[in-house]
Amino acid sequence: MTDAAGPVLAADGTPLKKSLNRALRRQKMRALMLIAPLLLFILITFIWPIAQMLLRSVENQIVSDVLPRTVVAVVEWDASTEEAPGDPVFEALAQDMMVAVEQKQHTRLGSRLNYETTGVSSLFRKSGRAVDEMGELAMDQFVALDEGFEAPANWAVNLGTADWNAALTDWVNNGEEGNAPRFAADPGAAEALPQTTRLYGDFANFVASDGDNPLDEDIWPILFHTLAQELPSADLSSVAGTGLPLVAAQGPVAGFETEDIKAAFIDIDEDWASVEVWQTIQTYSPDFTNGYFLNSIDMQKSPDGAEWRPEDQQIYLTLFWRTMLMSFVITCSCILLGYPVAWLLANLPASKANLLMILVLLPFWTSLLVRTSAWKVLLQQQGVINELLVWIGLVGDENRLALINNATGTIIAMTHILLPFMILPLYSVMKTIPPSYLRAAKSLGATNWTAFWRVYFPQSVPGIGAGSILVFILSIGYYITPEIVGGTKGVFISNRIAYHISSSLNWGLAAALGSILLAIVLIFYWMYDKIVGIDNVKLGG
Amino acid sequence: MTTFMTAADKAAASDNTWNFTVPLTAAFGAVLGLLGGQAAGLGVWAGLIAGAVIGAALAYALSVHLPKKIGRWAAIAVCAVLGLILGGLAGVLAGAIMGALLGWCAYWLSTGAYRSGVPPYATTGQVLWHNAFKFICGFIFFFLIAPIITIIPLSFNAQDFFTFTPEMLALDPAGYSLKHYNDFFTNPDWLRPMKNSLIIAPFATIISVSLGTLAAIGLSQSHVPFRRGIMAILISPMIVPLIISATGMFFFYSQMGLWMEDNLGISKSLSGYIKVILAHAALGIPFVIITVTATLVGFDNSLTRAAANMGATPVTTFFKVQMPLILPGVISGGLFAFITSFDEVVVVLFVGAAAQKTLPWQMFTGLREQISPTILAVATVLVAISIVLLTVVEMLRRRSERLRGMSPS
């Protein structure tokens, strides 16, 4: 009756296909809406912090932030000349150091560069104490020439814009509420005296951020020195402000006696003449570095690219290797101990198996700290196991076994702690293997061993795979147990990461080590997903 | 069969006694005698020989002349008296245990109970392997449970030692005391961390359970785009090593804490708690997702459709129909999340300040720096808590299986 060629219609007259699609879309949206809050929560509080950590492992802005001028000036320097850089670099360094010292950033930078070359930290601290005297020679001559150079207000009028000066006056008149306005450089002054204007800007902004008035604070001596360098050759026609007697001074300044900044630095500490220090600064100037990653595989940056560290400084590859090796040993011992138990549990009648299961689940539910402290108590030199062995006479009193604070302690304790993670997946796989297969194999003439090895074992391999990867992933990231029972020979890479976070404060290196560990774990996670499937993770029975 | 015994049977039984039961029990007795002799200070050989003789005598006397029940008590009594002569009160206990073992061994061998687990046609080798396997499994179970059991009596030590003192071994009441428990329940060094743990864990659990249950319901719908990827992200806090999570969170939460203090006017202590609670909530979420998704696998979706058909709103359907059915999974997920937070130390060590010190943190510092026996008292209390939690989770799991008709019982 109706046209049979037309589309099938739903009750409301829309084509059925469209209507179904819409229902499906609505269903999808609803599912996503339910998931969204949690997904957002995990993304913000978990995934984002980890991404941030990964970024931190390559981040290196601190050098260019603290020494902006030096970093630019030192680019041209060629390390192969075996000589420290020339005067311009030291001039830039003096200006940067003055700002950094006032902001108390130079010690931070010193510790950062100290990770790469030892001694830099003390070099920066020492120079920081002396740098505010640099330029005093120029300052004295300027003041002798004209008292006007000593007044901070004159500098402000000359180098800042009229708007900034007005805002500053308003701020002063309003009782100095909050911080002084940020410096705005007068374009003319910036063109004629670029370095002086920039340094004065740093001065004014620093004073303002400290809550003080730029018109009251004494001008840094190094500013006079910079001005003395720039003024003689400057074209002053573009400078509009009339605070400092610049034009009048231009002639006399050319005849000023100037300080040798390079010599002054080398005088503070002769390390400033060392090529190595400058190489470090030059190598770590870029905003991003692979230095932390090279460090975490026992390499270092050098002018010729990456190279191995000296033998006696190599620790991380050993540590990674040890972490992998010990995790492997722990995984193997878990298979060895877990397989018989899982087999027994899977083949006993349900009532008995449930009873024995409690013996597996109780350690699983017991606090990690409890189990670790139990092992600490048991394994000590004066602990229960050693006392027992001495008591029954298996071990002499003087040669008690060293079971703790070494790799043995870590392996014993961690095997115990991770064993349930092996037994539970193995058990759930073995539960699904029909016992009739074994009987069939035996009735066909197989010996016990053949029946087990050729029929049962291959079917239990997925369980072994799942358990092993789980145990391996868990064990390579372990921190608490190795820290307590591992001593120095039984610690993992995680203990080193924790050390760099909380003791040495070398966070970049900690982040790089963490990123490598994460990459290893993710590879195994991916394998786990392929073999077992993430949706099939089960907890307890 | 037992009522009528021919002369040949008797001869075979006697043969069996002399060739099998007596030598094996004697060997077992020798091992026990070695241990007992060492403990009582008799020396290696004296203990070994005395144990072998006692074992052989018991094996013969019990298996041939006494019924099982009386025989076992007799063995216990004989060895307890021997223990009393050698080692006083503690000797009685040790002797009684050894007697029980010997008596059990003699009957196990002589009555043929050792063959009960294998078919009658099994060869000697197979029987041997079967029993050896059982013993191996027994040792592994012992390995699993012994460390946890050992610390319980040690926590009642009257001395500040981490090993059994002679008084304790002699069962002298003076060797035991509750002083470590007393310390735990009165010392602010332990009370404050306990309080912190009890503040942080419930809040973290509430966040993980509420968000996790919703997401698990969303994930179990039939059409979810990118299900695999989403699942991988949600499970990741369980897979990523704690030290890496802690490192990442250390950087993130220190900035977030400052931001909260500056912009929201939250006090330093409160922001500290918020940071730790959020971090722990993230760690607990995978457990909630896994348990709740597992419960939802057997969920019959026609029930919700039926409810909707009868006019229930989605919210009513959720609370009246779906929630009661998945509640066991939700509660056990919650318990997992709770124990995760209650147990966690690496993240709180990095994210928290001293004001948020939790119980595991205090234990960790205690173990690393000044190890005090109070830790064992705390550990015993925590073991008791985990036994309770384990029982609850097991009961819930069975209930949920029964509800879904997955278990025959």
Side-chain angles (χ1 to χ4, degrees), chain A residues 42 539, chain B residues 234-238 281-291:
Chain A
I42 290 284
L539 295 167
Chain B
L234 296 186
I235 300 288
S236 62
M238 192 172 84
L283 294 182
I285 276 165
F287 297 98
V288 179
I289 295 275
I290 289 171
T291 44

Side-chain angles (χ1 to χ4, degrees), chain B residues 326-408:
Chain B
I326 63 169
L327 197 61
V330 174
I331 295 179
S332 47
L335 288 176
F336 266 109
F338 182 85
I339 202 88
T340 309
S341 163
F342 199 72
D343 239 16
E344 208 288 323
V345 48
V346 188
V347 168
V348 72
L349 207 60
F350 281 22
V351 172
Q356 286 85 42
K357 197 174 226 184
T358 58
L359 204 52
W361 183 351
Q362 176 64 23
M363 286 180 82
F364 179 63
T365 357
L367 282 174
R368 209 163 48 160
E369 284 143 27
Q370 20 83 7
I371 176 159
S372 114
T374 310
I375 285 177
L376 296 185
V378 182
T380 309
V381 172
L382 289 182
V383 170
I385 294 177
S386 39
I387 289 175
V388 172
L389 288 181
L390 169 63
T391 320
V392 175
V393 169
E394 271 303 293
M395 277 162 53
L396 285 170
R397 195 173 60 82
R398 295 203 184 150
R399 186 186 142 76
S400 142
E401 281 182 0
R402 230 186 14 253
L403 275 180
R404 288 182 290 147
M406 283 170 72
S407 162

Side-chain angles (χ1 to χ4, degrees), chain B residues 141-164:
Chain B
F141 280 120
F142 179 76
F143 172 72
L144 271 170
I145 213 77
I148 300 170
I149 300 298
T150 317
I151 57 169
I152 295 175
L154 276 179
S155 69
F156 293 100
N157 199 338
Q159 306 284 321
D160 286 350
F161 293 144
F162 284 96
T163 187
F164 291 98

Side-chain angles (χ1 to χ4, degrees), chain A residues 482-497:
Chain A
E483 180 76 20
I484 289 175
V485 299
T488 50
K489 288 283 173 201
V491 294
F492 284 6
I493 196 73
S494 355
N495 302 74
R496 203 71 198 164
I497 297 177

Side-chain angles (χ1 to χ4, degrees), chain B residues 244-260:
Chain B
I244 296 174
S245 318
T247 310
M249 287 175 170
F250 169 73
F251 299 130
F252 174 75
Y253 280 109
S254 56
Q255 290 164 5
M256 187 175 134
L258 287 179
W259 183 83
M260 283 197 295

Side-chain angles (χ1 to χ4, degrees), chain B residues 118-263:
Chain B
V118 287
Y121 51 81
T123 61
T124 315
Q126 283 169 343
V127 176
L128 191 66
W129 165 243
H130 174 78
N131 286 308
F133 182 76
K134 271 199 198 162
F135 276 108
I136 293 171
C137 286
F139 274 115
I140 298 169
F141 280 120
F142 179 76
F143 172 72
L144 271 170
I145 213 77
I148 300 170
I149 300 298
T150 317
I151 57 169
I152 295 175
L154 276 179
S155 69
F156 293 100
N157 199 338
Q159 306 284 321
D160 286 350
F161 293 144
F162 284 96
T163 187
F164 291 98
T165 55
E167 293 86 39
M168 292 182 87
L169 291 174
L171 297 180
D172 184 355
Y176 295 86
S177 87
L178 287 171
K179 71 173 199 175
H180 302 311
Y181 289 87
N182 193 27
D183 186 40
F184 174 40
F185 289 111
T186 53
N187 191 342
D189 281 354
W190 288 103
L191 282 181
R192 231 166 52 101
M194 183 80 189
K195 207 183 95 200
N196 278 336
S197 282
L198 289 178
I199 293 173
I200 291 166
F203 278 109
T205 309
I206 290 170
I207 296 179
S208 353
V209 169
S210 45
L211 292 179
T213 308
L214 278 185
I217 292 171
L219 278 171
S220 65
Q221 314 253 316
S222 43
H223 301 284
V224 186
F226 319 113
R227 177 194 258 129
R228 247 184 128 69
I230 291 175
M231 197 72 178
I233 291 176
L234 296 186
I235 300 288
S236 62
M238 192 172 84
I239 299 295
V240 173
L242 272 178
I243 190 79
I244 296 174
S245 318
T247 310
M249 287 175 170
F250 169 73
F251 299 130
F252 174 75
Y253 280 109
S254 56
Q255 290 164 5
M256 187 175 134
L258 287 179
W259 183 83
M260 283 197 295
E261 281 155 36
D262 291 346
N263 296 12

Side-chain angles (χ1 to χ4, degrees), chain A residues 38 367 391-392 416 483 529, chain B residues 38-39 144 228 285 343 368:
Chain A
L38 182 66
S367 164
W391 190 57
I392 57 176
H416 174 252
E483 180 76 20
D529 189 26
Chain B
Q38 276 292 331
L144 271 170
R228 247 184 128 69
I285 276 165
D343 239 16
R368 209 163 48 160

